[in-house]
Amino acid sequence: MSVINPDQIDAQRLAGMRPAADRGDIDPALGDGSLVDDPALRPPLVLNGRDFHDVTEIVCGYSEKAPPWWWFHALGAAATVAGLAQIMILYLIITGVGVWGLNNQVDWAWDITNFVFWIGIGHAGTLISAILCLLKQEWRTAVNRSAEAMTIFAVTCAGIFPGIHVGRVWFAWMLFPIPNYNWIWPNFRSPLLWDVFAVSTYATVSTLFWYMGLIPDFATLRDRAHRRLRLGESQNMKLRVPLPVPIPAISLPIKGDILRAYIYGFLALGWRFSGRHWYRYEKAYLILAGISTPLVLSVHSIVSFDFATSILPGWHTTIFPPYFVAGAVFGGFAMVLLLLIPLRELLPNMKDLLTLRHLELMAKILLVTGMMVGFAYGMEFFIAWYGANQFEWYAFIGNRANPETAPYWWAYYTMIFCNVVTPQLFWVKKFRQNPIIIWIVALCVTIGMWFERFVIIVTSLHRAFLPGEWHMFYPTPVDILTFVGSFGIFFTLFLLFIRFMPIFPMAELKAVMPGASPHDHEHHHDDEHDDPHGDHGGDSHGEPTKQGAH
Amino acid sequence: MARPIYQTESGARVFGILAQFENTLTLSNAAKVVRDAGFKKWDTHSPFPVHEMEHAMGIAGTAVRPLAYAMGMGALTGAVGGYLMQWWINKDYFIVVQGKPTDAAWESFIPVTFELGILLTAFAAIFGMLAFNGLPRHHHPLFTSERFLSTSDDAFFISVEAKDEKFDPESTRKMLEDAGATHIELVEDG
């Protein structure tokens, strides 16, 4: 057992939980028990015999118990870096966009690179919640909440860059068709304006989708706080002083559960888990998934129109929309893995809900989308050659691929290595089942996807048609610190999320567990006495089950 | 015939009966019993949506139809409104760009039309779902039952309101007991 769940003792102490049921020996080929290869077997989505109550305890425990020690340090570091971004943005606004390394030739550089990078990362959440929902991929329930949260935070970071890039930020409201005294309107034939609508629609719909999933889980947190208040189990809030000398925690004159009951209660909108409500809720969720699927595909297509509808060699290609969407999914999944693999180690009992199989499936998605991106890279060269346009051919060979003529050749090969070569490791089963290797590949992909956008934007711009206009781009410290700072904003938001919100969709997770469907109980009356818990007569929780039995 | 008003011994009005069930199968079977007995003001409560509960409750189709219309209206309003906004703005403040004619270049208006159609459908889906569910409603008599709070964790309930025409404190309780309830309690209209 210790191999399977090394954090178990710690976890139970932290979460105050009863121990997991002993499942006996697990075949080592199954990893933690979830890596079932036989298509006739249904691999478990929740391990260690956790039942509905355990799921509630584990997930609510993350926001109800005192946060782990590393959380404060991580939040402190992330918030400091986020503050750096804010100082840089303030400096930019009071000085002008000249503080960046932009010049007359390269007038889009790190700002738009960062925008496309972050908006791309923001595609995984809605992909998981919408497309995988339509495809009935039940494993998505373990990752969709945190992926959706990540989506919203990434879109937040993305929104900053075009906003501050416009120069006179106080006129940014003119991007929207708002009646004004000068009676001028935006140009609806510009892809840049389509972008405004696509990104703001995407941010709004993703947030609503996320919030809708959160309603029942906020209600669970509300009910638990109410129950503790009624039973008199609630404690006053304590202010811990983070000093090396032991100082007793200061007791505040308010109970934490009162705040929880009010705040979670307000957000839960009075959800009472009614069957009539669930019916409309599920239908609305399905329709939202149905409309979010074309939405998520349209957003990055429209982002790619910013480039594809121009006549600049290297940008003017019809492959851009599908190529950008595949790249966005690729980069988004990499970021999900980058966040969840360490979290899985750090948070107690998380490995029971997020199994090795989840990671393996996401690694497979990385492989597939990485191959799509690799195909697009190759196809760009083919069309440049086949199209016989000398400017386009020069944009790809002379500006990107040939180290003797292209000053940014290293960026191009970093991109190829990170995005095309490293995911090929996942052809090997051992590698795609190893969290450390998946994490390293995900890190490479994140770096590679940033370079992809840099290559597309800067190498195309720095040498356009007239050699007399050619100009290199060099980032200034403000460029670099703003980009680093955007990671601070992202991680600050994510750390606050894992502390205060249910990071797994409890209701959705319970609905795909054994014992959730009425049919689970119809065939298992005979072996009910074998059940170690004797609860709900559910079949062997956490074990691979025969698909035919359901 | 006026409905009798049921009161507890302390004089509080009765909201209804709350019956707990062991698992989703007994819940779903009991829901069929209540449905077939002809009750209207009743509900099931489960920590997650139970498979095919809408059929066991006899609300399949009818309960979501208005929501579907609302979403359709949202899609139409968003797309048509979005297109007309662009068309009018283009007429009002025409920018000569890309050599496009003033009145026939509808193609470049499609992306924004599409996005606004999606946006208003999403609004209709979520706010419509909440509105047809009668939410937000932060207070409900069922929340006075301490046992009911565990429905957000792992418990399954059926509640039958005293306002229902078929409601009777004795026979309704008996019906739920026979349907397999493990615990039954009266909920006051708090």
Side-chain angles (χ1 to χ4, degrees):
Chain A
M1 284 304 279
S2 62
V3 180
I4 296 150
N5 200 342
D7 58 352
Q8 206 157 39
I9 298 164
D10 230 18
Q12 278 155 9
R13 189 177 51 76
L14 281 168
M17 288 187 45
R18 65 197 172 95
D22 187 4
R23 289 182 300 153
D25 294 328
I26 299 170
D27 183 356
L30 297 183
D32 56 1
S34 63
L35 300 174
V36 182
D37 250 353
D38 185 351
L41 291 173
R42 178 177 289 186
L45 292 168
V46 175
L47 297 177
N48 281 329
R50 300 299 187 189
D51 60 15
F52 298 142
H53 179 66
D54 284 347
V55 169
T56 315
E57 286 289 336
I58 292 173
V59 178
C60 294
Y62 297 145
S63 54
E64 287 171 352
K65 306 276 187 269
W69 62 270
W70 54 265
W71 186 82
F72 290 103
H73 298 271
L75 184 71
T80 309
V81 179
L84 196 65
Q86 285 166 23
I87 293 168
M88 288 304 128
I89 291 167
L90 188 68
Y91 177 55
L92 175 104
I93 291 171
I94 59 182
T95 315
V97 282
V99 299
W100 286 338
L102 304 176
N103 53 56
N104 273 346
Q105 185 63 26
V106 188
D107 45 9
W108 280 4
W110 277 40
D111 42 6
I112 303 299
T113 302
N114 298 342
F115 162 67
V116 183
F117 171 74
W118 279 118
I119 199 93
I121 284 173
H123 275 55
T126 310
L127 183 103
I128 290 172
S129 43
I131 297 180
L132 297 185
C133 173
L134 295 182
L135 296 175
K136 298 236 179 266
Q137 295 295 308
E138 291 182 343
W139 61 272
R140 77 182 190 99
T141 53
V143 283
N144 78 342
R145 173 67 43 75
S146 39
E148 284 170 32
M150 183 214 73
T151 286
I152 292 161
F153 306 149
V155 174
T156 308
C157 290
I160 294 169
F161 288 99
I164 56 176
H165 165 82
V166 296
R168 282 181 263 181
V169 179
W170 48 97
F171 284 128
W173 60 272
M174 291 184 105
L175 290 167
F176 293 94
I178 299 168
N180 56 76
Y181 198 70
N182 295 326
W183 210 244
I184 57 174
W185 294 107
N187 174 18
F188 276 98
R189 288 171 179 163
S190 164
L192 298 178
L193 194 64
W194 304 346
D195 226 16
V196 172
F197 279 82
V199 173
S200 47
T201 298
Y202 186 62
T204 314
V205 174
S206 307
T207 311
L208 285 175
F209 207 178
W210 184 56
Y211 178 61
M212 188 175 165
L214 278 164
I215 291 172
D217 294 343
F218 281 143
T220 302
L221 285 164
R222 168 201 69 193
D223 287 356
R224 287 166 62 87
H226 266 291
R227 177 195 284 271
R228 283 191 301 269
L229 285 172
R230 284 188 203 181
L231 297 178
E233 290 172 1
S234 302
Q235 311 267 315
N236 279 5
M237 284 172 83
K238 288 206 174 65
L239 191 67
R240 286 181 183 80
V241 186
L243 287 177
V245 275
I247 292 175
I250 304 158
S251 189
L252 299 176
I254 186 166
K255 289 187 167 82
D257 282 331
I258 291 181
L259 285 181
R260 285 198 188 94
Y262 273 102
I263 296 171
Y264 292 133
F266 177 77
L267 292 169
L269 304 175
W271 189 260
R272 53 181 188 274
F273 298 88
S274 142
R276 291 167 199 274
H277 292 181
W278 276 129
Y279 181 40
R280 293 196 189 93
Y281 178 91
E282 281 215 293
K283 289 287 178 222
Y285 198 91
L286 192 64
I287 301 269
L288 264 184
I291 59 168
S292 296
T293 301
L295 174 67
V296 69
L297 299 180
S298 81
V299 174
H300 227 54
S301 298
I302 290 177
V303 169
S304 82
F305 291 162
D306 291 349
F307 308 101
T309 58
S310 75
I311 53 164
L312 191 73
W315 286 6
H316 186 66
T317 54
T318 49
I319 202 175
F320 262 24
Y323 159 31
F324 268 52
V325 172
V329 174
F330 185 51
F333 267 89
M335 185 55 95
V336 172
L337 286 163
L338 212 54
L339 291 173
L340 290 186
I341 289 174
L343 213 55
R344 195 170 164 269
E345 301 293 330
L346 290 168
L347 289 180
N349 290 314
M350 190 160 163
K351 284 180 182 167
D352 288 349
L353 307 183
L354 188 70
T355 66
L356 281 179
R357 178 165 167 268
H358 290 107
L359 301 182
E360 187 189 5
L361 289 167
M362 285 194 275
K364 283 180 181 168
I365 291 181
L366 271 194
L367 177 59
V368 170
T369 47
M371 300 281 281
M372 287 177 174
V373 169
F375 173 79
Y377 295 158
M379 191 47 78
E380 279 185 324
F381 276 84
F382 173 74
I383 294 297
W385 167 76
Y386 189 69
N389 178 320
Q390 57 172 324
F391 293 105
E392 193 171 340
W393 181 246
Y394 190 79
F396 283 100
I397 298 298
N399 281 355
R400 294 187 188 174
N402 184 355
E404 288 179 4
T405 54
Y408 292 112
W409 64 271
W410 50 272
Y412 185 77
Y413 289 103
T414 307
M415 164 188 110
I416 294 285
F417 175 76
C418 291
N419 291 352
V420 185
V421 179
T422 56
Q424 305 304 323
L425 286 176
F426 291 148
W427 288 107
V428 182
K429 195 191 255 179
K430 276 221 167 65
F431 292 152
R432 66 170 185 261
Q433 291 179 348
N434 183 332
I436 296 170
I437 293 188
I438 299 175
W439 194 84
I440 293 169
V441 171
L443 185 65
C444 282
V445 169
T446 307
I447 295 167
M449 286 311 292
W450 189 86
F451 271 102
E452 180 197 297
R453 280 65 178 251
F454 178 79
V455 165
I456 291 172
I457 293 168
V458 173
T459 64
S460 304
L461 271 177
H462 88 293
R463 289 180 174 178
F465 298 99
L466 295 176
E469 290 178 341
W470 289 5
H471 219 306
M472 287 293 286
F473 170 79
Y474 300 104
T476 62
V478 182
D479 271 308
I480 297 166
L481 292 177
T482 313
F483 175 55
V484 172
S486 69
F487 274 94
I489 296 171
F490 180 76
F491 284 116
T492 305
L493 291 169
F494 196 78
L495 285 164
L496 290 173
F497 160 73
I498 62 174
R499 173 73 187 95
F500 293 109
M501 287 193 183
I503 61 171
F504 285 93
M506 286 181 273
E508 283 179 60
L509 198 56
K510 288 172 191 170
V512 297
M513 281 169 64
S517 166
H519 305 298
D520 290 353
H521 302 280
E522 277 165 7
H523 300 286
H524 294 283
H525 285 299
D526 298 339
D527 50 19
E528 208 160 3
H529 58 270
D530 292 336
D531 194 325
H533 326 297
D535 51 359
H536 311 316
D539 54 9
S540 44
H541 299 290
E543 294 294 316
T545 48
K546 275 281 177 203
Q547 204 143 27
H550 290 273
Chain B
M1 185 187 88
R3 293 282 307 141
I5 293 169
Y6 296 104
Q7 289 187 328
T8 58
E9 286 167 4
S10 60
R13 275 174 61 166
V14 170
F15 169 75
I17 284 180
L18 184 68
Q20 189 173 1
F21 293 86
E22 200 188 345
N23 59 38
T24 48
L25 179 64
T26 52
L27 179 76
S28 157
N29 288 342
K32 287 174 191 159
V33 172
V34 182
R35 171 197 69 189
D36 293 342
F39 283 87
K40 294 273 177 283
K41 287 175 178 149
W42 67 286
D43 217 333
T44 59
H45 303 272
S46 53
F48 48 83
V50 176
H51 188 55
E52 294 196 329
M53 183 53 87
E54 66 271 21
H55 293 288
M57 290 178 74
I59 54 169
T62 54
V64 288
R65 207 159 286 143
L67 181 59
Y69 288 130
M71 286 188 269
M73 289 302 292
L76 269 179
T77 315
V80 173
Y83 185 85
L84 288 178
M85 174 190 75
Q86 296 175 77
W87 172 82
W88 179 76
I89 284 176
N90 190 54
K91 272 244 172 307
D92 189 56
Y93 187 74
F94 180 62
I95 301 169
V96 184
V97 63
Q98 297 161 349
K100 300 270 170 61
T102 44
D103 47 358
W106 56 273
E107 296 90 340
S108 51
F109 297 157
I110 294 304
V112 173
T113 304
F114 172 81
E115 299 296 338
L116 289 175
I118 296 274
L119 183 68
L120 266 74
T121 317
F123 282 155
I126 292 179
F127 299 122
M129 183 273 290
L130 291 174
F132 287 116
N133 282 346
L135 297 176
R137 177 181 175 179
H138 285 97
H139 179 265
H140 195 274
L142 285 172
F143 291 135
T144 56
S145 160
E146 197 208 306
R147 192 174 271 265
F148 179 74
L149 295 184
S150 59
T151 191
S152 59
D153 181 6
D154 60 354
F156 305 92
F157 293 95
I158 284 183
S159 62
V160 183
E161 288 183 40
K163 280 182 189 153
D164 194 286
E165 293 201 353
K166 303 240 173 201
F167 182 83
D168 177 79
E170 298 307 316
S171 67
T172 307
R173 174 182 280 265
K174 175 111 183 24
M175 173 187 74
L176 291 167
E177 266 170 15
D178 293 344
T182 52
H183 174 91
I184 292 185
E185 67 184 50
L186 213 58
V187 179
E188 291 179 0
D189 207 345

